[in-house]
Amino acid sequence: DIQMTQSPSTLSAFVGARVTITCRASQSISSWLAWYQQRPGKAPKLLIYKASSLESGVPSRFSGSGSGTEFTLTISSLQPDDFATYYCQQYNSLYTFGQGTKLEIK
Amino acid sequence: QVQLVESGRGVVQPGRSLRLSCTASGFTFSSYAMHWVRQAPGKGLEWVAAISYDGSNKYYADSVKGRFTISRDNSKNALYLQVNSLRVEDTAVYFCARDRKQLATRGIIDYWGLGALVTVSS
């Protein structure tokens, strides 16, 4: 089974800041990686797929990069709506989610 | 627009069974693979099962293999999850979700329902 590890688990930042979340796979998954945003009590929302492709309708301040075993999600200028929990997910071999990164307002 | 609505939530005793349903609308249900994903209270997301567009291929997480069964009825635009031998650790919100592809391998999960809470407790 492929394990996904995100860091940090919690991140505090100011509105307007640039933040990066890292996701590591236990083995190579090529670019078969997605990122989701989940607000409390809501369903997850797809942000990025195939490591770096921006889902339609998602603001361009979100970007993804990486391949193989190491990936990042970057938010270039945090907006109040962006404070949520973010999950990476591999879909190279079945499906596995990272444990999540909670992004909090500083 | 794409809508996925889960039903079948409730409180169930350990060892008992439950069937979750998901009704889809706003897209051609029979052309897409579908998934179930769960989230225990205060915890992260866990993929549970997937089924191809025609129901011919099914995939399960090791944690539920042999106890859960995913199925679909394309004539009713419905997805199901039969959950047997329930355990306390199966307590979670169960999300129905759509895959962007027909086959349930290397698929992108793009739309999610609001979820159905299943509580396993004596």
Side-chain angles (χ1 to χ4, degrees):
Chain A
D1 290 9
I2 299 175
Q3 309 302 317
M4 306 300 292
T5 304
Q6 288 181 232
S7 60
S9 296
T10 307
L11 179 57
S12 298
F14 292 104
V15 171
R18 178 186 179 92
V19 297
T20 297
I21 299 169
T22 298
C23 179
R24 289 187 174 86
S26 60
Q27 63 189 74
S28 177
I29 58 170
S30 184
S31 295
W32 304 113
L33 185 102
W35 289 96
Y36 296 87
Q37 175 194 66
Q38 187 180 32
R39 297 192 178 96
K42 302 293 186 183
K45 174 186 175 183
L46 176 65
L47 301 175
I48 302 282
Y49 62 94
K50 212 166 183 188
S52 60
S53 295
L54 191 68
E55 175 68 354
S56 176
V58 174
S60 58
R61 62 180 179 274
F62 291 91
S63 64
S65 66
S67 67
T69 61
E70 189 149 339
F71 303 85
T72 59
L73 172 70
T74 298
I75 310 172
S76 60
S77 177
L78 278 172
Q79 300 302 301
D81 260 356
D82 301 338
F83 292 94
T85 300
Y86 293 84
Y87 295 92
C88 63
Q89 178 223 22
Q90 69 82 18
Y91 53 101
N92 176 70
S93 174
L94 295 183
Y95 304 83
T96 315
F97 290 91
Q99 81 277 18
T101 295
K102 186 175 183 181
L103 180 53
E104 298 175 331
I105 299 177
K106 187 178 274 188
Chain B
Q1 71 279 23
V2 173
Q3 281 200 312
L4 300 167
V5 180
E6 300 91 344
S7 59
R9 69 190 68 205
V11 181
V12 186
Q13 291 181 327
R16 303 297 291 265
S17 299
L18 182 72
R19 189 174 85 156
L20 296 171
S21 300
C22 170
T23 301
S25 61
F27 65 103
T28 305
F29 180 72
S30 59
S31 295
Y32 294 86
M34 297 293 294
H35 299 257
W36 287 100
V37 178
R38 68 183 179 181
Q39 186 169 37
K43 303 297 184 183
L45 300 168
E46 179 187 16
W47 175 79
V48 172
I51 187 168
S52 59
Y53 71 106
D54 60 356
S56 62
N57 292 289
K58 303 176 184 182
Y59 307 89
Y60 298 94
D62 287 345
S63 59
V64 306
K65 203 175 293 182
R67 296 191 301 124
F68 289 14
T69 302
I70 189 171
S71 62
R72 65 191 296 160
D73 185 338
N74 286 344
S75 68
K76 297 180 179 178
N77 286 357
L79 176 72
Y80 305 104
L81 185 68
Q82 177 69 38
V83 297
N84 297 331
S85 303
L86 278 161
R87 305 167 180 168
V88 172
E89 55 266 33
D90 293 321
T91 295
V93 173
Y94 285 75
F95 294 100
C96 162
R98 192 189 81 164
D99 194 306
R100 187 161 286 178
K101 295 169 61 177
Q102 286 192 330
L103 302 178
T105 54
R106 287 191 176 160
I108 299 163
I109 300 174
D110 60 357
Y111 286 96
W112 302 62
L114 295 178
L117 176 61
V118 173
T119 302
V120 184
S121 173
S122 54

